[in-house]
Amino acid sequence: MTSGAMEQVPGWLNEHVGSARWFGGKGRGGEVSRVVGLRWLGERDGVRVRPEVATWRYPDGSQEHYQLLVAYSDAEQPAGVLGPSSEGIAHDATRVPAALQVLLASLLDGAQDEQWQPVIPDGRRLAADLPLSVYGGEQSNTNVMVGDVAILKLFRKLEPGRNLDIQVHDALGRASVGSAARLYGWVAGELPAAEGEEPVETDYAMVVEQLQDAADGFVMAREACASGADFSQEAAALGEALAEVHAALHDTFDTTTVDGDEVAATMARRLDEAIEAAPVLSDHRDGLVQVFGRLAGHRLPAQRIHGDFHLGQTLRTPDGWRIIDFEGEPMKTLAERRLPDSPWRDVAGMLRSFGYATSGSDDPTGPAARQWLADVRAAFLGAYGEPRGGEADVLSAYEADKATYEVVYEVRNRPDWLPIPMSAISSIVPSRAGNYPLTSGTNHAGPAADEEN
């Protein structure tokens, strides 16, 4: 058995990568230009397993790296057949139970090389004989449920540098933050370098606590609005959880300030781009630009934040709220997601998500839903910390910027849902308030929910 770059890319590999749910380049063309096998992890029941890195090259010359987990055998396994190779018949290892057991055992035995380095400081919580199953709902990564103890997340798109989800969970654990899951370990390593290139570090996987009896935050909020139930206490607890996370991130990572003029200009530029896709925003342009312009002349405190915060990134457990998925906004590059940003971006994201939760009401724009929304917003902000002075302008700007993005999404995908972000914009720019009747009945947390990991 050998590792290293394959002399010839198997014909089936383009279809496997290009059609996978976790592949992010659909519609851009291209193909796998290179595939490199990493260390063999072991063998069980006639199945040999190793992670591999496929480099997908696009027509414009850019490229991305994706992690595969491949099982090889001398005979076809019942599921996950990919095709023939020099190592035997290749299978998608995430669909071969014996292969998943090999993966778990390899993490626990601690064997390492420069490309594959398991680090499991809390490995006592794991056992090699725990049952394993692949969660079917993920998109950009693959989650393997390890009994009822942990989640093994295999990162599919590999980027240079430490993975933010690992980095933040590690920091929050060291700070004894109770509103995030515990990090049990991870797999670090190097991206295979092409000839003449220097290898760079990356992360291949993480092992994190599996939260038991956890309820989805958006589902809870939407059902509460639908039934007219008070959600204020839960919203306040969410505000406290976010405040705890922000405090720990402030004390752990670098802090700085950002130029309010640059933030306002970026928001205005995005607005003009949004108007091209959603002309319904044009009547609100002057008012929105005025909202953004209130940031001018200010330096905004900035730090590491969640970056993609909404109800779909929260779980309600018997022990309280837990915040999940700290990788940031999926459409941004890793370098962009690492940059410090205003904590009010996260606050605005949750406030907009509360707005989407009113979709559970029979009359989402009626008095009862509006009062429900006002109550949960007040409770959340009261617990997190009310904006003071110019902070209120910062929060309004981030809310308006988020709602502008949502308008474009709804115009392109669900026109019946356009009233949700348009109502938010009308409340921020009241001089242009309009009537946007909403079709209710769809269960959706907003555009961000379509970008889950």
Side-chain angles (χ1 to χ4, degrees), residues 386-420:
E386 293 281 355
R388 295 173 296 178
E391 292 175 339
D393 289 336
V394 178
L395 177 57
S396 292
Y398 277 108
E399 273 200 85
D401 183 55
K402 179 69 171 178
T404 299
Y405 162 79
E406 292 166 353
V407 167
V408 175
Y409 182 92
E410 304 304 356
V411 164
R412 289 174 172 171
N413 297 280
R414 301 173 307 188
D416 288 344
W417 282 72
L418 186 57
I420 294 178

PDB file of all heavy atoms in Angstrom, residues 386-420:
ATOM      1  N   GLU A 386     -27.864  46.692  26.393  1.00  0.00           N
ATOM      2  CA  GLU A 386     -28.467  47.662  25.480  1.00  0.00           C
ATOM      3  C   GLU A 386     -27.389  48.516  24.807  1.00  0.00           C
ATOM      4  O   GLU A 386     -26.391  48.891  25.440  1.00  0.00           O
ATOM      5  CB  GLU A 386     -29.425  48.581  26.243  1.00  0.00           C
ATOM      6  CG  GLU A 386     -30.669  47.891  26.781  1.00  0.00           C
ATOM      7  CD  GLU A 386     -31.718  47.692  25.699  1.00  0.00           C
ATOM      8  OE1 GLU A 386     -31.500  48.170  24.567  1.00  0.00           O
ATOM      9  OE2 GLU A 386     -32.744  47.065  26.003  1.00  0.00           O
ATOM     10  N   PRO A 387     -27.557  48.808  23.525  1.00  0.00           N
ATOM     11  CA  PRO A 387     -26.596  49.707  22.878  1.00  0.00           C
ATOM     12  C   PRO A 387     -26.654  51.087  23.517  1.00  0.00           C
ATOM     13  O   PRO A 387     -27.738  51.604  23.825  1.00  0.00           O
ATOM     14  CB  PRO A 387     -27.071  49.731  21.424  1.00  0.00           C
ATOM     15  CG  PRO A 387     -28.501  49.315  21.458  1.00  0.00           C
ATOM     16  CD  PRO A 387     -28.618  48.367  22.614  1.00  0.00           C
ATOM     17  N   ARG A 388     -25.480  51.657  23.716  1.00  0.00           N
ATOM     18  CA  ARG A 388     -25.393  52.970  24.357  1.00  0.00           C
ATOM     19  C   ARG A 388     -24.816  53.983  23.385  1.00  0.00           C
ATOM     20  O   ARG A 388     -23.865  53.686  22.669  1.00  0.00           O
ATOM     21  CB  ARG A 388     -24.501  52.890  25.604  1.00  0.00           C
ATOM     22  CG  ARG A 388     -25.075  52.011  26.708  1.00  0.00           C
ATOM     23  CD  ARG A 388     -24.066  51.840  27.825  1.00  0.00           C
ATOM     24  NE  ARG A 388     -22.876  51.133  27.369  1.00  0.00           N
ATOM     25  CZ  ARG A 388     -21.818  50.880  28.135  1.00  0.00           C
ATOM     26  NH1 ARG A 388     -21.795  51.309  29.394  1.00  0.00           N
ATOM     27  NH2 ARG A 388     -20.781  50.221  27.648  1.00  0.00           N
ATOM     28  N   GLY A 389     -25.404  55.171  23.388  1.00  0.00           N
ATOM     29  CA  GLY A 389     -24.900  56.242  22.547  1.00  0.00           C
ATOM     30  C   GLY A 389     -24.881  55.850  21.087  1.00  0.00           C
ATOM     31  O   GLY A 389     -25.868  55.385  20.508  1.00  0.00           O
ATOM     32  N   GLY A 390     -23.709  55.981  20.481  1.00  0.00           N
ATOM     33  CA  GLY A 390     -23.562  55.685  19.068  1.00  0.00           C
ATOM     34  C   GLY A 390     -23.691  54.223  18.717  1.00  0.00           C
ATOM     35  O   GLY A 390     -23.809  53.871  17.524  1.00  0.00           O
ATOM     36  N   GLU A 391     -23.689  53.328  19.725  1.00  0.00           N
ATOM     37  CA  GLU A 391     -23.830  51.907  19.438  1.00  0.00           C
ATOM     38  C   GLU A 391     -25.179  51.588  18.800  1.00  0.00           C
ATOM     39  O   GLU A 391     -25.294  50.639  18.015  1.00  0.00           O
ATOM     40  CB  GLU A 391     -23.662  51.088  20.715  1.00  0.00           C
ATOM     41  CG  GLU A 391     -22.245  51.108  21.281  1.00  0.00           C
ATOM     42  CD  GLU A 391     -22.147  50.387  22.609  1.00  0.00           C
ATOM     43  OE1 GLU A 391     -23.186  50.225  23.280  1.00  0.00           O
ATOM     44  OE2 GLU A 391     -21.031  49.994  22.987  1.00  0.00           O
ATOM     45  N   ALA A 392     -26.201  52.374  19.125  1.00  0.00           N
ATOM     46  CA  ALA A 392     -27.516  52.150  18.523  1.00  0.00           C
ATOM     47  C   ALA A 392     -27.454  52.363  17.009  1.00  0.00           C
ATOM     48  O   ALA A 392     -28.088  51.628  16.240  1.00  0.00           O
ATOM     49  CB  ALA A 392     -28.546  53.086  19.152  1.00  0.00           C
ATOM     50  N   ASP A 393     -26.683  53.370  16.569  1.00  0.00           N
ATOM     51  CA  ASP A 393     -26.518  53.589  15.134  1.00  0.00           C
ATOM     52  C   ASP A 393     -25.765  52.431  14.482  1.00  0.00           C
ATOM     53  O   ASP A 393     -26.072  52.033  13.350  1.00  0.00           O
ATOM     54  CB  ASP A 393     -25.761  54.894  14.887  1.00  0.00           C
ATOM     55  CG  ASP A 393     -26.595  56.126  15.220  1.00  0.00           C
ATOM     56  OD1 ASP A 393     -27.834  56.012  15.202  1.00  0.00           O
ATOM     57  OD2 ASP A 393     -25.998  57.181  15.498  1.00  0.00           O
ATOM     58  N   VAL A 394     -24.776  51.895  15.183  1.00  0.00           N
ATOM     59  CA  VAL A 394     -24.012  50.764  14.647  1.00  0.00           C
ATOM     60  C   VAL A 394     -24.926  49.554  14.467  1.00  0.00           C
ATOM     61  O   VAL A 394     -24.920  48.891  13.427  1.00  0.00           O
ATOM     62  CB  VAL A 394     -22.832  50.410  15.581  1.00  0.00           C
ATOM     63  CG1 VAL A 394     -22.072  49.197  15.045  1.00  0.00           C
ATOM     64  CG2 VAL A 394     -21.895  51.602  15.727  1.00  0.00           C
ATOM     65  N   LEU A 395     -25.732  49.278  15.480  1.00  0.00           N
ATOM     66  CA  LEU A 395     -26.644  48.142  15.406  1.00  0.00           C
ATOM     67  C   LEU A 395     -27.650  48.316  14.266  1.00  0.00           C
ATOM     68  O   LEU A 395     -27.908  47.380  13.498  1.00  0.00           O
ATOM     69  CB  LEU A 395     -27.373  47.964  16.738  1.00  0.00           C
ATOM     70  CG  LEU A 395     -28.413  46.843  16.794  1.00  0.00           C
ATOM     71  CD1 LEU A 395     -27.791  45.498  16.433  1.00  0.00           C
ATOM     72  CD2 LEU A 395     -29.050  46.781  18.189  1.00  0.00           C
ATOM     73  N   SER A 396     -28.206  49.513  14.122  1.00  0.00           N
ATOM     74  CA  SER A 396     -29.159  49.759  13.037  1.00  0.00           C
ATOM     75  C   SER A 396     -28.515  49.547  11.674  1.00  0.00           C
ATOM     76  O   SER A 396     -29.128  48.979  10.759  1.00  0.00           O
ATOM     77  CB  SER A 396     -29.709  51.191  13.132  1.00  0.00           C
ATOM     78  OG  SER A 396     -30.529  51.347  14.279  1.00  0.00           O
ATOM     79  N   ALA A 397     -27.271  49.986  11.531  1.00  0.00           N
ATOM     80  CA  ALA A 397     -26.586  49.828  10.254  1.00  0.00           C
ATOM     81  C   ALA A 397     -26.374  48.350   9.930  1.00  0.00           C
ATOM     82  O   ALA A 397     -26.608  47.910   8.792  1.00  0.00           O
ATOM     83  CB  ALA A 397     -25.244  50.564  10.284  1.00  0.00           C
ATOM     84  N   TYR A 398     -25.952  47.577  10.906  1.00  0.00           N
ATOM     85  CA  TYR A 398     -25.734  46.153  10.666  1.00  0.00           C
ATOM     86  C   TYR A 398     -27.052  45.426  10.399  1.00  0.00           C
ATOM     87  O   TYR A 398     -27.105  44.515   9.567  1.00  0.00           O
ATOM     88  CB  TYR A 398     -24.991  45.515  11.837  1.00  0.00           C
ATOM     89  CG  TYR A 398     -23.493  45.702  11.759  1.00  0.00           C
ATOM     90  CD1 TYR A 398     -22.832  46.568  12.624  1.00  0.00           C
ATOM     91  CD2 TYR A 398     -22.739  45.007  10.819  1.00  0.00           C
ATOM     92  CE1 TYR A 398     -21.466  46.736  12.555  1.00  0.00           C
ATOM     93  CE2 TYR A 398     -21.363  45.173  10.741  1.00  0.00           C
ATOM     94  CZ  TYR A 398     -20.731  46.040  11.612  1.00  0.00           C
ATOM     95  OH  TYR A 398     -19.368  46.209  11.522  1.00  0.00           O
ATOM     96  N   GLU A 399     -28.113  45.810  11.089  1.00  0.00           N
ATOM     97  CA  GLU A 399     -29.423  45.216  10.804  1.00  0.00           C
ATOM     98  C   GLU A 399     -29.874  45.537   9.377  1.00  0.00           C
ATOM     99  O   GLU A 399     -30.372  44.656   8.656  1.00  0.00           O
ATOM    100  CB  GLU A 399     -30.467  45.726  11.798  1.00  0.00           C
ATOM    101  CG  GLU A 399     -30.558  44.949  13.081  1.00  0.00           C
ATOM    102  CD  GLU A 399     -31.901  45.181  13.771  1.00  0.00           C
ATOM    103  OE1 GLU A 399     -32.871  44.469  13.425  1.00  0.00           O
ATOM    104  OE2 GLU A 399     -31.972  46.067  14.641  1.00  0.00           O
ATOM    105  N   ALA A 400     -29.711  46.780   8.985  1.00  0.00           N
ATOM    106  CA  ALA A 400     -30.128  47.182   7.641  1.00  0.00           C
ATOM    107  C   ALA A 400     -29.302  46.458   6.579  1.00  0.00           C
ATOM    108  O   ALA A 400     -29.829  46.018   5.547  1.00  0.00           O
ATOM    109  CB  ALA A 400     -29.996  48.700   7.489  1.00  0.00           C
ATOM    110  N   ASP A 401     -28.014  46.335   6.816  1.00  0.00           N
ATOM    111  CA  ASP A 401     -27.143  45.641   5.868  1.00  0.00           C
ATOM    112  C   ASP A 401     -27.554  44.181   5.728  1.00  0.00           C
ATOM    113  O   ASP A 401     -27.616  43.639   4.616  1.00  0.00           O
ATOM    114  CB  ASP A 401     -25.702  45.752   6.361  1.00  0.00           C
ATOM    115  CG  ASP A 401     -24.696  45.127   5.406  1.00  0.00           C
ATOM    116  OD1 ASP A 401     -24.681  45.513   4.228  1.00  0.00           O
ATOM    117  OD2 ASP A 401     -23.940  44.242   5.844  1.00  0.00           O
ATOM    118  N   LYS A 402     -27.869  43.537   6.842  1.00  0.00           N
ATOM    119  CA  LYS A 402     -28.301  42.141   6.808  1.00  0.00           C
ATOM    120  C   LYS A 402     -29.636  42.008   6.081  1.00  0.00           C
ATOM    121  O   LYS A 402     -29.832  41.097   5.258  1.00  0.00           O
ATOM    122  CB  LYS A 402     -28.423  41.614   8.236  1.00  0.00           C
ATOM    123  CG  LYS A 402     -28.895  40.168   8.351  1.00  0.00           C
ATOM    124  CD  LYS A 402     -27.858  39.193   7.860  1.00  0.00           C
ATOM    125  CE  LYS A 402     -28.263  37.764   8.188  1.00  0.00           C
ATOM    126  NZ  LYS A 402     -27.285  36.772   7.673  1.00  0.00           N
ATOM    127  N   ALA A 403     -30.574  42.911   6.366  1.00  0.00           N
ATOM    128  CA  ALA A 403     -31.888  42.848   5.721  1.00  0.00           C
ATOM    129  C   ALA A 403     -31.778  43.071   4.215  1.00  0.00           C
ATOM    130  O   ALA A 403     -32.524  42.470   3.429  1.00  0.00           O
ATOM    131  CB  ALA A 403     -32.827  43.879   6.347  1.00  0.00           C
ATOM    132  N   THR A 404     -30.851  43.906   3.790  1.00  0.00           N
ATOM    133  CA  THR A 404     -30.635  44.129   2.360  1.00  0.00           C
ATOM    134  C   THR A 404     -30.211  42.842   1.665  1.00  0.00           C
ATOM    135  O   THR A 404     -30.711  42.488   0.587  1.00  0.00           O
ATOM    136  CB  THR A 404     -29.571  45.224   2.168  1.00  0.00           C
ATOM    137  OG1 THR A 404     -30.033  46.446   2.750  1.00  0.00           O
ATOM    138  CG2 THR A 404     -29.285  45.434   0.695  1.00  0.00           C
ATOM    139  N   TYR A 405     -29.287  42.121   2.298  1.00  0.00           N
ATOM    140  CA  TYR A 405     -28.874  40.818   1.764  1.00  0.00           C
ATOM    141  C   TYR A 405     -30.065  39.873   1.678  1.00  0.00           C
ATOM    142  O   TYR A 405     -30.243  39.145   0.696  1.00  0.00           O
ATOM    143  CB  TYR A 405     -27.781  40.234   2.663  1.00  0.00           C
ATOM    144  CG  TYR A 405     -27.577  38.745   2.488  1.00  0.00           C
ATOM    145  CD1 TYR A 405     -26.839  38.246   1.416  1.00  0.00           C
ATOM    146  CD2 TYR A 405     -28.133  37.840   3.390  1.00  0.00           C
ATOM    147  CE1 TYR A 405     -26.657  36.871   1.252  1.00  0.00           C
ATOM    148  CE2 TYR A 405     -27.964  36.475   3.229  1.00  0.00           C
ATOM    149  CZ  TYR A 405     -27.222  35.997   2.162  1.00  0.00           C
ATOM    150  OH  TYR A 405     -27.056  34.647   2.006  1.00  0.00           O
ATOM    151  N   GLU A 406     -30.910  39.886   2.721  1.00  0.00           N
ATOM    152  CA  GLU A 406     -32.069  38.993   2.760  1.00  0.00           C
ATOM    153  C   GLU A 406     -33.056  39.308   1.638  1.00  0.00           C
ATOM    154  O   GLU A 406     -33.675  38.398   1.070  1.00  0.00           O
ATOM    155  CB  GLU A 406     -32.753  39.105   4.125  1.00  0.00           C
ATOM    156  CG  GLU A 406     -31.920  38.553   5.268  1.00  0.00           C
ATOM    157  CD  GLU A 406     -32.443  38.978   6.642  1.00  0.00           C
ATOM    158  OE1 GLU A 406     -33.380  39.807   6.706  1.00  0.00           O
ATOM    159  OE2 GLU A 406     -31.902  38.493   7.647  1.00  0.00           O
ATOM    160  N   VAL A 407     -33.222  40.596   1.329  1.00  0.00           N
ATOM    161  CA  VAL A 407     -34.136  40.975   0.249  1.00  0.00           C
ATOM    162  C   VAL A 407     -33.696  40.341  -1.068  1.00  0.00           C
ATOM    163  O   VAL A 407     -34.513  39.780  -1.815  1.00  0.00           O
ATOM    164  CB  VAL A 407     -34.207  42.514   0.114  1.00  0.00           C
ATOM    165  CG1 VAL A 407     -34.895  42.903  -1.193  1.00  0.00           C
ATOM    166  CG2 VAL A 407     -34.964  43.112   1.299  1.00  0.00           C
ATOM    167  N   VAL A 408     -32.423  40.410  -1.357  1.00  0.00           N
ATOM    168  CA  VAL A 408     -31.913  39.812  -2.590  1.00  0.00           C
ATOM    169  C   VAL A 408     -32.173  38.310  -2.600  1.00  0.00           C
ATOM    170  O   VAL A 408     -32.615  37.738  -3.607  1.00  0.00           O
ATOM    171  CB  VAL A 408     -30.412  40.109  -2.761  1.00  0.00           C
ATOM    172  CG1 VAL A 408     -29.853  39.383  -3.981  1.00  0.00           C
ATOM    173  CG2 VAL A 408     -30.176  41.606  -2.880  1.00  0.00           C
ATOM    174  N   TYR A 409     -31.913  37.675  -1.478  1.00  0.00           N
ATOM    175  CA  TYR A 409     -32.137  36.234  -1.392  1.00  0.00           C
ATOM    176  C   TYR A 409     -33.596  35.890  -1.672  1.00  0.00           C
ATOM    177  O   TYR A 409     -33.903  34.972  -2.440  1.00  0.00           O
ATOM    178  CB  TYR A 409     -31.735  35.721  -0.011  1.00  0.00           C
ATOM    179  CG  TYR A 409     -31.900  34.222   0.140  1.00  0.00           C
ATOM    180  CD1 TYR A 409     -30.858  33.356  -0.122  1.00  0.00           C
ATOM    181  CD2 TYR A 409     -33.121  33.680   0.550  1.00  0.00           C
ATOM    182  CE1 TYR A 409     -31.015  31.984  -0.007  1.00  0.00           C
ATOM    183  CE2 TYR A 409     -33.293  32.312   0.674  1.00  0.00           C
ATOM    184  CZ  TYR A 409     -32.237  31.470   0.398  1.00  0.00           C
ATOM    185  OH  TYR A 409     -32.403  30.113   0.513  1.00  0.00           O
ATOM    186  N   GLU A 410     -34.508  36.623  -1.045  1.00  0.00           N
ATOM    187  CA  GLU A 410     -35.927  36.308  -1.200  1.00  0.00           C
ATOM    188  C   GLU A 410     -36.424  36.614  -2.612  1.00  0.00           C
ATOM    189  O   GLU A 410     -37.248  35.870  -3.164  1.00  0.00           O
ATOM    190  CB  GLU A 410     -36.764  37.066  -0.166  1.00  0.00           C
ATOM    191  CG  GLU A 410     -36.363  36.837   1.288  1.00  0.00           C
ATOM    192  CD  GLU A 410     -36.373  35.379   1.710  1.00  0.00           C
ATOM    193  OE1 GLU A 410     -36.767  34.499   0.925  1.00  0.00           O
ATOM    194  OE2 GLU A 410     -35.958  35.098   2.850  1.00  0.00           O
ATOM    195  N   VAL A 411     -35.947  37.681  -3.216  1.00  0.00           N
ATOM    196  CA  VAL A 411     -36.336  37.992  -4.592  1.00  0.00           C
ATOM    197  C   VAL A 411     -35.938  36.854  -5.529  1.00  0.00           C
ATOM    198  O   VAL A 411     -36.687  36.469  -6.438  1.00  0.00           O
ATOM    199  CB  VAL A 411     -35.695  39.320  -5.041  1.00  0.00           C
ATOM    200  CG1 VAL A 411     -35.753  39.477  -6.562  1.00  0.00           C
ATOM    201  CG2 VAL A 411     -36.393  40.496  -4.372  1.00  0.00           C
ATOM    202  N   ARG A 412     -34.759  36.296  -5.295  1.00  0.00           N
ATOM    203  CA  ARG A 412     -34.247  35.247  -6.166  1.00  0.00           C
ATOM    204  C   ARG A 412     -34.853  33.879  -5.879  1.00  0.00           C
ATOM    205  O   ARG A 412     -34.958  33.042  -6.791  1.00  0.00           O
ATOM    206  CB  ARG A 412     -32.725  35.148  -6.022  1.00  0.00           C
ATOM    207  CG  ARG A 412     -31.983  36.330  -6.627  1.00  0.00           C
ATOM    208  CD  ARG A 412     -30.500  36.253  -6.323  1.00  0.00           C
ATOM    209  NE  ARG A 412     -29.748  37.271  -7.057  1.00  0.00           N
ATOM    210  CZ  ARG A 412     -28.461  37.533  -6.838  1.00  0.00           C
ATOM    211  NH1 ARG A 412     -27.793  36.876  -5.907  1.00  0.00           N
ATOM    212  NH2 ARG A 412     -27.853  38.459  -7.554  1.00  0.00           N
ATOM    213  N   ASN A 413     -35.246  33.647  -4.637  1.00  0.00           N
ATOM    214  CA  ASN A 413     -35.629  32.295  -4.251  1.00  0.00           C
ATOM    215  C   ASN A 413     -37.064  32.140  -3.763  1.00  0.00           C
ATOM    216  O   ASN A 413     -37.711  31.153  -4.086  1.00  0.00           O
ATOM    217  CB  ASN A 413     -34.680  31.782  -3.153  1.00  0.00           C
ATOM    218  CG  ASN A 413     -33.252  31.670  -3.629  1.00  0.00           C
ATOM    219  OD1 ASN A 413     -32.870  30.721  -4.294  1.00  0.00           O
ATOM    220  ND2 ASN A 413     -32.438  32.664  -3.279  1.00  0.00           N
ATOM    221  N   ARG A 414     -37.573  33.108  -2.981  1.00  0.00           N
ATOM    222  CA  ARG A 414     -38.899  32.966  -2.387  1.00  0.00           C
ATOM    223  C   ARG A 414     -39.594  34.322  -2.333  1.00  0.00           C
ATOM    224  O   ARG A 414     -39.637  34.972  -1.281  1.00  0.00           O
ATOM    225  CB  ARG A 414     -38.796  32.391  -0.964  1.00  0.00           C
ATOM    226  CG  ARG A 414     -38.115  31.038  -0.880  1.00  0.00           C
ATOM    227  CD  ARG A 414     -37.915  30.653   0.577  1.00  0.00           C
ATOM    228  NE  ARG A 414     -37.224  31.705   1.303  1.00  0.00           N
ATOM    229  CZ  ARG A 414     -36.778  31.581   2.543  1.00  0.00           C
ATOM    230  NH1 ARG A 414     -36.950  30.464   3.201  1.00  0.00           N
ATOM    231  NH2 ARG A 414     -36.155  32.579   3.147  1.00  0.00           N
ATOM    232  N   PRO A 415     -40.125  34.778  -3.443  1.00  0.00           N
ATOM    233  CA  PRO A 415     -40.746  36.107  -3.454  1.00  0.00           C
ATOM    234  C   PRO A 415     -41.834  36.288  -2.403  1.00  0.00           C
ATOM    235  O   PRO A 415     -42.041  37.410  -1.923  1.00  0.00           O
ATOM    236  CB  PRO A 415     -41.308  36.213  -4.880  1.00  0.00           C
ATOM    237  CG  PRO A 415     -40.458  35.293  -5.688  1.00  0.00           C
ATOM    238  CD  PRO A 415     -40.120  34.149  -4.776  1.00  0.00           C
ATOM    239  N   ASP A 416     -42.539  35.203  -2.062  1.00  0.00           N
ATOM    240  CA  ASP A 416     -43.589  35.320  -1.054  1.00  0.00           C
ATOM    241  C   ASP A 416     -43.041  35.708   0.312  1.00  0.00           C
ATOM    242  O   ASP A 416     -43.790  36.152   1.187  1.00  0.00           O
ATOM    243  CB  ASP A 416     -44.366  34.006  -0.935  1.00  0.00           C
ATOM    244  CG  ASP A 416     -45.272  33.764  -2.135  1.00  0.00           C
ATOM    245  OD1 ASP A 416     -45.522  34.724  -2.893  1.00  0.00           O
ATOM    246  OD2 ASP A 416     -45.720  32.623  -2.321  1.00  0.00           O
ATOM    247  N   TRP A 417     -41.723  35.504   0.506  1.00  0.00           N
ATOM    248  CA  TRP A 417     -41.111  35.816   1.806  1.00  0.00           C
ATOM    249  C   TRP A 417     -40.490  37.214   1.836  1.00  0.00           C
ATOM    250  O   TRP A 417     -39.928  37.628   2.850  1.00  0.00           O
ATOM    251  CB  TRP A 417     -40.049  34.766   2.127  1.00  0.00           C
ATOM    252  CG  TRP A 417     -40.661  33.483   2.616  1.00  0.00           C
ATOM    253  CD1 TRP A 417     -41.355  32.569   1.883  1.00  0.00           C
ATOM    254  CD2 TRP A 417     -40.663  33.010   3.946  1.00  0.00           C
ATOM    255  NE1 TRP A 417     -41.777  31.540   2.682  1.00  0.00           N
ATOM    256  CE2 TRP A 417     -41.363  31.788   3.962  1.00  0.00           C
ATOM    257  CE3 TRP A 417     -40.132  33.489   5.143  1.00  0.00           C
ATOM    258  CZ2 TRP A 417     -41.557  31.046   5.114  1.00  0.00           C
ATOM    259  CZ3 TRP A 417     -40.307  32.743   6.296  1.00  0.00           C
ATOM    260  CH2 TRP A 417     -41.026  31.534   6.271  1.00  0.00           C
ATOM    261  N   LEU A 418     -40.594  37.941   0.745  1.00  0.00           N
ATOM    262  CA  LEU A 418     -40.014  39.274   0.677  1.00  0.00           C
ATOM    263  C   LEU A 418     -40.490  40.211   1.791  1.00  0.00           C
ATOM    264  O   LEU A 418     -39.721  41.053   2.258  1.00  0.00           O
ATOM    265  CB  LEU A 418     -40.320  39.877  -0.698  1.00  0.00           C
ATOM    266  CG  LEU A 418     -39.676  41.219  -1.049  1.00  0.00           C
ATOM    267  CD1 LEU A 418     -38.167  41.144  -0.942  1.00  0.00           C
ATOM    268  CD2 LEU A 418     -40.115  41.661  -2.445  1.00  0.00           C
ATOM    269  N   PRO A 419     -41.733  40.107   2.253  1.00  0.00           N
ATOM    270  CA  PRO A 419     -42.182  41.021   3.302  1.00  0.00           C
ATOM    271  C   PRO A 419     -41.357  40.963   4.589  1.00  0.00           C
ATOM    272  O   PRO A 419     -41.317  41.948   5.323  1.00  0.00           O
ATOM    273  CB  PRO A 419     -43.622  40.559   3.573  1.00  0.00           C
ATOM    274  CG  PRO A 419     -44.047  39.952   2.288  1.00  0.00           C
ATOM    275  CD  PRO A 419     -42.830  39.271   1.751  1.00  0.00           C
ATOM    276  N   ILE A 420     -40.724  39.836   4.899  1.00  0.00           N
ATOM    277  CA  ILE A 420     -39.979  39.752   6.160  1.00  0.00           C
ATOM    278  C   ILE A 420     -38.826  40.751   6.187  1.00  0.00           C
ATOM    279  O   ILE A 420     -38.774  41.623   7.055  1.00  0.00           O
ATOM    280  CB  ILE A 420     -39.486  38.311   6.424  1.00  0.00           C
ATOM    281  CG1 ILE A 420     -40.687  37.401   6.652  1.00  0.00           C
ATOM    282  CG2 ILE A 420     -38.552  38.264   7.619  1.00  0.00           C
ATOM    283  CD1 ILE A 420     -40.311  35.940   6.864  1.00  0.00           C
TER     284      ILE A 420
END
